[in-house]
Amino acid sequence: MYLEGGRQSMAGRIRDEDISLVRERTSIADIISESVTLKSAGGGNLKGLCPFHDEKTPSFTVAPGRNVYFCHGCGKGGDAITFLMEAEHLTFVESVERLAARAGIQLRYIEAGPAPVRQQTGQRQRLTAAHAAAVEFYVDRLTDPAARPAREFLARRGFDRATAERYACGFAPDAWDELTRHLRQRGYTAQELITAGLARQARSGSLIDRFRRRLLWPIRELSGDVIGFGARKLFDDDDGPKYLNTPETPIYKKSHVLYGIDQAKREIARQGRAVIVEGYTDVMACHLAGVPTAVATCGTAFGADHIGVLRRLLMDTEAVAGEIIFTFDGDAAGQKAALRAFEEDQRFVGRTFIAVSPDNMDPCDLRLAKGDLAVRDLVARREPLVDFALRQVLSRFDLDTVDGRVEAMRRAAPLVAKLKDRDKRPEYVRKLAGDLGMEIEPVQRAVLAAAAGPQRTAGGRAAVPEPAAPKPRNEPDDPQTLVEREALKLGLQVPVLAGPMFDNLGAEVYQHPVHAVLRDAMAQAGGAAAATTGAVWIERVRDNCADLAARALVAELAVEPLHVDRDADPYYVSVTLARLQWGAVTTRIRELKSKVQRINPVTNQDEYLTLAGELFSLEQHARALREQAVGGL
């Protein structure tokens, strides 16, 4: 979590009541589902793959009723404000401002001086707003007479005016600083335009537009915000590259960006499939042809960060396998890209395929030549990526010679060894042996050797295994710990219901030290009886936790379901708190019995009788609590 100092902006401190209003009016499920596919986890909770660490089994829980989330794998948790801070690297103020704008809330700021209250947005909002203004500018310029080459390019690729408008295609005019002057007039500073990648400094020191005389596509992130542009060369006398993209900026990271993801994300989640193409026009062509799950990288190879984005949309887990289809060209570059994709393939639990046109045409060319159906057929005729990769490796060798077959086996065996589905390895061993014309045994030995890997490093030291992926935290098995957690969950999740019954039992009945710290924090936050259900109460408790472990536990218990098949009611609260107190009393009884057994009743009669009387009283109390707790958790 973040310190209260993060609530201060250049405009002053955001009023606490406005922050509370933002929390109350924000649906955390809506915010998180823009980047993570969430499915019902029972009890009103949702679950998905954590966006903060790689995992194969969903451990990321969202509790819409309390507007909080928690990952049982990495321990990250909080509310919608925290999620934006963690997921999009925003400041506290930027997160609040973005959520406020989304909810239609006008924030108020407490100024340090006498100046009037004004709104000062964060850097990210300023940069995305500048991009939005640039999109309007470029789209408007596409209708100019000078943009005719750009319109003709789109028409030759099979895209009409309506399609150009759908994808907000634009044109950068033949002027050095027309966009820069336009945005400066809109109130953006020179430094903001440089930081956004929309302008750059010329050798003379003056500010000029980054893009000139080019067809442009706005590049959007999952939320739909424009964060950059891709620009296509149109004129022969342009000595720049064929495609020019926005440079790396605070909001544009090419290794994380997939063009078309904003339009494709819902279909990707619904179908459990993503189609990876190579260019902007390929994405447009696929979408128009009835393949709405197509996306493309932007000026970089498909890599691990792209996989992380898709896995969360696909809900790519051990139980629900996603499907990735690559549509690389059949040329040498496309084959190389496909083999590189196979190296990354093991990050997916699901199935990975490749679709290559018989005529080595990309989806846009294929649509122009043979129509929409041909594009859909291309995807339908996909083959497993491992089959394609093996075929490409074997094609490099002369399999009519002994040396060629042996070398091909050595190069192909690691591909089979890397297959994440171990059940498929024996079948691919047999297939590879058949393709090579060899017996199964030597191929099997080669695959096993490749799977074992090198035992020593180049320096002769033992190889250090990669650290295992974080595992979800197991729920404690100790009955008393379970009861303590359940009681704390009641105080956090349903404070209005738990109320005075919860507050009457202090931290002394909690045997786990972190639980005791958390119980103290709840008292310092005003107690359950004075609280209201929701993120504001949970945040107040967390702010009163000086212990980091207790702060993390607040987020965890805020989303962990209660151990009851119905809505919690006063009876369930009384049963749980009786069991909590009974556990503390029985612990004290065990301690007293041990002490009584060590005392000589003759020589220490008074002490013995005092302890025996206390023990008798506690045992009666324990019996009463046990009767009250009948019904179970």
Side-chain angles (χ1 to χ4, degrees):
M1 296 303 297
Y2 297 83
L3 298 178
E4 290 293 314
R7 299 175 186 235
Q8 186 81 18
S9 78
M10 292 177 64
R13 189 176 187 274
I14 302 175
R15 291 179 180 271
D16 288 341
E17 55 266 36
D18 288 354
I19 295 173
S20 297
L21 186 61
V22 168
R23 286 193 172 106
E24 290 171 6
R25 292 192 182 176
T26 297
S27 168
I28 195 168
D30 289 347
I31 297 298
I32 295 178
S33 63
E34 290 182 353
S35 56
V36 179
T37 296
L38 299 174
K39 297 190 176 182
S40 175
N45 287 351
L46 303 171
K47 185 169 281 191
L49 290 173
C50 180
F52 306 120
H53 79 282
D54 287 333
E55 61 180 2
K56 293 184 177 181
T57 301
S59 61
F60 184 80
T61 301
V62 178
R66 294 180 291 282
N67 258 357
V68 291
Y69 71 90
F70 180 75
C71 176
H72 298 270
C74 66
K76 290 186 181 293
D79 57 16
I81 299 172
T82 311
F83 182 81
L84 286 185
M85 293 173 71
E86 293 279 1
E88 302 192 21
H89 308 289
L90 303 182
T91 65
F92 182 89
V93 169
E94 289 172 338
S95 297
V96 173
E97 288 173 340
R98 178 183 287 195
L99 294 173
R102 180 184 178 117
I105 298 171
Q106 180 66 48
L107 295 176
R108 296 167 297 169
Y109 297 79
I110 304 173
E111 294 277 8
V117 175
R118 62 183 176 84
Q119 184 167 343
Q120 175 71 35
T121 55
Q123 183 194 54
R124 181 181 179 86
Q125 286 182 287
R126 292 285 295 174
L127 299 186
T128 55
H131 276 87
V135 171
E136 294 177 1
F137 174 87
Y138 288 136
V139 168
D140 186 59
R141 294 302 181 276
L142 187 61
T143 61
D144 290 350
R148 182 175 178 179
R151 296 192 299 270
E152 291 177 344
F153 176 89
L154 290 171
R156 289 195 304 271
R157 303 301 285 165
F159 306 122
D160 57 17
R161 181 172 181 174
T163 302
E165 291 176 353
R166 172 182 170 183
Y167 292 90
C169 298
F171 177 70
D174 186 9
W176 287 105
D177 63 351
E178 189 172 340
L179 174 68
T180 298
R181 286 187 285 107
H182 174 75
L183 294 179
R184 290 299 302 275
Q185 291 172 0
R186 298 279 290 268
Y188 296 97
T189 67
Q191 187 56 54
E192 284 176 328
L193 300 185
I194 293 173
T195 302
L198 294 169
R200 60 186 177 88
Q201 283 190 322
R203 293 179 181 176
S204 64
S206 60
L207 202 62
I208 61 175
D209 298 346
R210 178 167 294 277
F211 303 111
R212 290 179 56 243
R213 305 169 69 211
R214 285 178 175 256
L215 172 63
L216 279 85
W217 288 265
I219 300 171
R220 303 175 188 270
E221 60 182 356
L222 274 166
S223 67
D225 287 338
V226 178
I227 55 175
F229 290 93
R232 211 291 187 178
K233 181 167 71 173
L234 296 171
F235 301 95
D236 292 337
D237 60 349
D238 185 340
D239 58 0
K242 182 178 179 180
Y243 282 94
L244 181 65
N245 287 350
T246 293
E248 295 282 297
T249 72
I251 61 173
Y252 180 83
K253 309 294 182 185
K254 63 183 180 181
S255 64
H256 293 74
V257 175
L258 289 167
Y259 177 73
I261 193 70
D262 58 304
Q263 296 200 34
K265 62 184 179 183
R266 297 195 183 281
E267 283 299 314
I268 289 174
R270 187 181 71 82
Q271 297 184 25
R273 170 190 297 174
V275 177
I276 313 301
V277 298
E278 293 192 90
Y280 309 122
T281 57
D282 292 330
V283 170
M284 296 167 68
C286 283
H287 290 184
L288 295 176
V291 183
T293 59
V295 294
T297 58
C298 300
T300 186
F302 186 81
D305 292 326
H306 298 122
I307 288 172
V309 173
L310 289 178
R311 286 194 70 236
R312 291 189 290 274
L313 287 177
L314 289 165
M315 194 72 170
D316 183 56
T317 69
E318 297 284 2
V320 182
E323 188 173 297
I324 308 299
I325 303 171
F326 296 96
T327 60
F328 297 114
D329 293 342
D331 58 16
Q335 293 175 12
K336 183 177 180 181
L339 293 176
R340 186 168 55 243
F342 178 81
E343 292 298 316
E344 297 287 356
D345 170 50
Q346 308 317 305
R347 294 176 180 266
F348 285 107
V349 174
R351 298 157 296 171
T352 311
F353 299 86
I354 188 168
V356 179
S357 170
D359 302 315
N360 291 336
M361 290 189 289
D362 59 37
C364 188
D365 289 332
L366 185 62
R367 178 172 178 263
L368 284 172
K370 300 183 179 180
D372 292 349
L373 181 59
V375 177
R376 295 196 295 271
D377 286 345
L378 169 66
V379 175
R381 292 196 310 269
R382 63 197 179 277
E383 67 171 323
L385 184 56
V386 61
D387 290 22
F388 178 86
L390 287 172
R391 189 166 64 251
Q392 296 305 312
V393 169
L394 298 185
S395 68
R396 303 175 192 169
F397 303 96
D398 182 359
L399 301 184
D400 291 332
T401 66
V402 172
D403 288 344
R405 289 194 295 272
V406 171
E407 190 61 28
M409 177 189 69
R410 290 172 178 166
R411 297 295 180 89
L415 298 184
V416 178
K418 288 179 181 178
L419 286 174
K420 56 184 170 288
D421 189 342
R422 294 175 178 270
D423 292 337
K424 292 182 179 179
R425 290 182 188 176
E427 291 301 318
Y428 274 100
V429 166
R430 280 189 282 271
K431 182 180 185 304
L432 179 57
D435 293 341
L436 291 169
M438 299 175 65
E439 296 293 333
I440 291 179
E441 286 75 12
V443 176
Q444 190 171 40
R445 286 196 298 270
V447 170
L448 290 174
Q455 299 301 310
R456 294 279 172 179
T457 65
R461 291 175 294 182
V464 179
E466 294 185 2
K471 296 181 179 179
R473 299 175 181 178
N474 291 323
E475 191 173 62
D477 294 324
D478 175 62
Q480 179 63 20
T481 302
L482 281 171
V483 172
E484 291 180 13
R485 289 173 67 95
E486 193 74 0
L488 290 171
K489 284 189 288 184
L490 287 170
L492 286 170
Q493 297 180 18
V494 286
V496 175
L497 181 65
M501 287 190 291
F502 177 88
D503 290 341
N504 285 338
L505 297 180
E508 66 278 0
V509 302
Y510 293 83
Q511 298 176 29
H512 194 293
V514 177
H515 294 173
V517 172
L518 175 51
R519 176 63 186 86
D520 274 336
M522 295 171 76
Q524 293 169 20
T532 57
T533 302
V536 174
W537 161 242
I538 293 168
E539 185 71 17
R540 194 185 310 147
V541 173
R542 185 159 35 215
D543 289 343
N544 279 279
C545 288
D547 184 88
L548 291 178
R551 290 167 70 91
L553 186 62
V554 173
E556 182 177 353
L557 297 184
V559 301
E560 185 175 293
L562 292 168
H563 291 180
V564 61
D565 295 333
R566 61 185 187 279
D567 291 338
D569 53 25
Y571 174 74
Y572 184 72
V573 173
S574 66
V575 166
T576 302
L577 296 180
R579 282 181 170 267
L580 171 67
Q581 196 175 3
W582 179 80
V585 170
T586 53
T587 299
R588 176 60 179 160
I589 288 172
R590 286 195 298 271
E591 293 172 352
L592 282 177
K593 283 184 174 179
S594 175
K595 193 171 185 179
V596 166
Q597 289 174 356
R598 295 193 302 272
I599 294 176
N600 187 321
V602 176
T603 57
N604 301 96
Q605 184 178 15
D606 291 342
E607 183 181 4
Y608 180 85
L609 292 175
T610 299
L611 291 176
E614 182 181 352
L615 180 60
F616 177 78
S617 177
L618 282 175
E619 286 179 333
Q620 284 187 318
H621 186 34
R623 282 194 294 271
L625 288 172
R626 185 176 182 82
E627 291 174 1
Q628 184 181 350
V630 170
L633 287 175

